[in-house]
Amino acid sequence: MNSDSERPAVTELRLSAFKAHRGVVLPLGPLTLLSGGSGSGKSSALQAYEILARLGSGQSLARAVRDVAGGPSACVPAGARPDDQGRRGFRIGCTVSGPAGPVSLDLAVQAEPELRIVGERLTGGGETLLTTALTDPDRPAVQAAWHTAGATPVTRAPLPDDRLGTSLLPLRVAGKTAGQRLVLAAAEQVVVALRSAFVCDPRPEVMRGTGGARAAGGAGLPGAAGATGATGALGSAGGAGGSAGRGSGVRGGRGKGAGKAREGHDEGRLRSSCDNLPAVLARTSQECARRHAVLVAAVREACVGPVDGLRAVPRQAGVTGAGAAGSGARESGVTGATGAGATGAGVTGVGVTASRVTASGATGAGAAAAVPAAGRGGTAGAQSGGGLGDAGVQVVLDRGVLGEMPVEQLGDGELRFLALALVLLTGPGVLAMDPAGEIPSAHQQMTVMADGMDRCMDRRQARELVSLAVRMAERGHVRLLGTVRDPSVAEGLPGVQVLHLGA
């Protein structure tokens, strides 16, 4: 068995009835890009995967679909009519390949009038390993039957209708018979693959601190740390301090630290919006100089002008935020940084030299944070919403003879490139995610999900990012599922699968 087959991975996504999709089967390789016109269902496909990933992490169904615009009802296929009891829903599923062979998971979810999982089916090794069905609509439970292959062919018991039954099996299956061990192996494989997902959506306005209050938690799968009801066989969720038990499941990715991650205080792990990038970059640059050099080289290819280095530096005393742009900002003696949002609200830039501010030629909204970067003698009022100066550090580009420039002065495409490149070069220990703790990292593959991967980027930047993903995917520890507007950015690159939706 080769190393790739030992790492569980989702190799097929099924959208049997989900939003605009009906009977759609998407084969997923190590590097898969979805393309298509507006409304073709690219984002919906990633949304279905994310729902499965959240459920696999032990989250309740309500939490798994809470970020869907329009609520659970928006997942119901357009035109779907309710039955005689007013019920409507959606169906999604996936296939996970790994040491137990291909294992398929399919779900039927009732979205109206009450949100619940009404049917689940797990198959593998030529056997139906788990089935659930709603037998009593008045009870918050489904009747489950799982493969035993002992004196009793199947075992039956009720399971909650708001949790993924597959993730609960290790809490209920003893593993004494060959059939039970097959069930456990298949369930573990599915959960490991689903828990290895990181949803990455770098938001330049949040990274600069201009988007109001930053997203709470902001993890790749928000709330994954501390999710309840996940598999007990997997033990702690991603590290020391987690615990598992019947009825409670996994208790957080890193014990007490998991609670901080949910509250958005775990600055050492990169959140989905990448608003805490400086703190993470300060950590990764010290932990692995080689990886940091690769990141700098990639950023050099994506940015206009010289890039000699990339580093996190202490935030200057008396400056809060990172020069987050804001209305009503005032400047005294600052030139070159012009346009709406050039400085943070309440910033007084007395004594700031124009040469430092204009070294990169930053103008307009993109010049946010120029004052704090150069702000000798500058002061700042209270800021809200965080930004790239949080945790007492900010990130600067070394532009050689042009001097240093805060990265928030970069364009939106360059900022997104930097954040996505950092994600591709790191792993679960650096990202705010909740991988299976008792499975060696060498036997796991992280899947990065990036909707609008080439958003705000020009073709050169997007192609460089895909090229970096190719190099990382070749190592076997990172997979990528992204959506792109221009599929030509992957032309000629080895190992990239482009699926055209709505064709």
Side-chain angles (χ1 to χ4, degrees):
M1 184 179 295
N2 59 50
S3 59
D4 286 337
S5 67
E6 293 176 357
R7 301 188 184 110
V10 176
T11 52
E12 183 177 275
L13 179 65
R14 290 184 292 278
L15 310 173
S16 302
F18 185 79
K19 291 195 168 184
H21 299 287
R22 287 183 179 272
V24 173
V25 178
L26 302 176
L28 304 181
L31 210 168
T32 303
L33 299 178
L34 307 181
S35 72
S38 178
S40 61
K42 304 185 298 295
S43 298
S44 296
L46 266 67
Q47 203 163 53
Y49 191 134
E50 183 178 354
I51 291 173
L52 290 170
R54 287 172 177 262
L55 290 170
S57 293
Q59 294 187 24
S60 68
L61 178 60
R63 292 195 67 178
V65 300
R66 69 178 181 180
D67 290 337
V68 176
S73 296
C75 299
V76 178
R81 296 183 177 180
D83 62 13
D84 55 0
Q85 298 182 34
R87 297 177 298 187
R88 299 198 311 157
F90 58 91
R91 290 182 289 124
I92 56 179
C94 65
T95 296
V96 176
S97 297
V103 178
S104 295
L105 170 68
D106 291 282
L107 295 179
V109 178
Q110 175 185 301
E112 300 171 354
E114 182 181 359
L115 182 64
R116 63 203 316 182
I117 297 174
V118 296
E120 180 176 348
R121 184 181 180 90
L122 183 72
T123 58
E127 300 284 352
T128 298
L129 304 176
L130 170 70
T131 59
T132 70
L134 180 65
T135 57
D136 185 353
D138 295 328
R139 296 182 58 194
V142 292
Q143 185 65 28
W146 56 83
H147 183 63
T148 303
T152 302
V154 297
T155 300
R156 302 182 188 277
L159 293 177
D161 65 358
D162 67 338
R163 304 281 173 171
L164 183 69
T166 296
S167 70
L168 299 174
L169 286 176
L171 298 173
R172 308 297 292 268
V173 179
K176 294 181 179 180
T177 68
Q180 290 175 339
R181 289 190 290 273
L182 177 60
V183 170
L184 289 173
E188 179 182 277
Q189 179 168 295
V190 169
V191 172
V192 167
L194 292 178
R195 286 175 64 165
S196 298
F198 180 74
V199 179
C200 186
D201 183 21
R203 297 168 53 192
E205 73 280 5
V206 175
M207 295 169 72
R208 294 190 182 102
T210 62
R214 69 183 168 202
L221 294 174
T228 60
T231 64
L234 297 180
S236 61
S243 61
R246 184 178 300 273
S248 62
V250 174
R251 294 290 304 276
R254 297 187 300 160
K256 294 181 180 179
K260 293 184 178 180
R262 291 196 304 275
E263 298 169 6
H265 297 309
D266 190 355
E267 296 295 337
R269 300 204 302 167
L270 190 67
R271 295 187 284 260
S272 176
S273 64
C274 301
D275 60 305
N276 62 333
L277 184 143
V280 177
L281 187 63
R283 170 189 168 188
T284 57
S285 61
Q286 295 176 0
E287 291 179 345
C288 185
R290 180 178 179 183
R291 177 174 57 192
H292 186 71
V294 174
L295 176 63
V296 172
V299 172
R300 183 180 299 119
E301 294 297 323
C303 291
V304 176
V307 175
D308 292 347
L310 176 70
R311 60 196 181 95
V313 299
R315 189 175 62 202
Q316 294 185 14
V319 180
T320 61
S327 60
R330 302 189 305 273
E331 297 180 18
S332 297
V334 179
T335 63
T338 62
T343 62
V347 172
T348 304
V350 179
V352 179
T353 59
S355 61
R356 182 70 175 272
V357 175
T358 60
S360 64
T363 60
V371 171
R376 296 172 184 149
T379 61
Q383 294 280 346
S384 63
L388 288 180
D390 273 358
V393 295
Q394 65 177 156
V395 180
V396 297
L397 284 180
D398 181 355
R399 295 240 164 182
V401 296
L402 298 181
E404 293 179 345
M405 183 186 78
V407 296
E408 55 265 34
Q409 290 186 19
L410 294 172
D412 286 359
E414 293 169 318
L415 263 183
R416 283 181 55 84
F417 180 96
L418 169 60
L420 285 165
L422 178 61
V423 169
L424 290 170
L425 286 166
T426 57
V430 177
L431 306 176
M433 57 186 295
D434 184 30
E438 288 194 350
I439 307 299
S441 59
H443 292 170
Q444 298 187 51
Q445 284 183 304
M446 179 180 72
T447 297
V448 176
M449 291 192 286
D451 191 18
M453 182 174 172
D454 58 348
R455 188 185 311 140
C456 303
M457 299 183 196
D458 59 33
R459 188 179 184 280
R460 174 183 57 85
Q461 293 168 333
R463 186 171 178 82
E464 178 62 28
L465 185 61
V466 177
S467 298
L468 177 62
V470 169
R471 297 197 299 273
M472 300 311 299
E474 287 175 347
R475 300 185 179 185
H477 290 279
V478 177
R479 295 170 67 89
L480 172 68
L481 174 60
T483 68
V484 292
R485 295 169 302 170
D486 179 11
S488 70
V489 299
E491 286 182 356
L493 296 178
V496 183
Q497 174 183 233
V498 179
L499 303 180
H500 301 276
L501 303 185

